[in-house]
């Protein structure tokens, strides 16, 4: 599930029910507004409906993405 930035309550303010995106080849997850997503090819992206699910799958938050904790 990809969420349009205009649909999020406050860009940069993470909540537990926001979609996060990770690379199937990496170990970090990002929010849709993070610039680092430009480096992940579309075919390598994995989406999670919440940061909790991404953490449960073994991903950790990216330090360079505003709002990720």
């Amino acid at each position: 599930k990809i969420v349009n930035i205009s649909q999020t309550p406050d860009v940069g303010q993470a909540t537990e029910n926001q979609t996060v995106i990770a690379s199937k080849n990496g170990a970090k997850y990002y929010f849709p507004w993070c610039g680092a997503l430009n480096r992940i090819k579309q075919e390598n992206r994995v989406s999670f409906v919440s940061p909790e699910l991404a953490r449960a799958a073994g991903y950790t938050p990216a330090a360079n993405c505003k709002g990720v904790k």
Side-chain angles (χ1 to χ4, degrees), residues 28-67:
K28 302 292 182 183
Y29 67 82
Y30 307 87
F31 283 104
W33 59 80
C34 294
L37 283 178
N38 293 333
R39 295 184 298 224
I40 302 174
K41 293 180 181 180
Q42 284 293 101
E43 61 267 20
N44 292 332
R45 292 183 183 193
V46 179
S47 296
F48 297 93
V49 295
S50 72
E52 285 182 338
L53 290 176
R55 286 191 294 271
Y59 291 93
T60 57
N64 61 344
C65 186
K66 182 179 178 181

Side-chain angles (χ1 to χ4, degrees), residues 16-27:
E16 288 301 310
N17 293 321
Q18 285 186 321
T19 297
V20 294
I21 303 166
S23 170
K24 62 182 175 182
N25 301 317

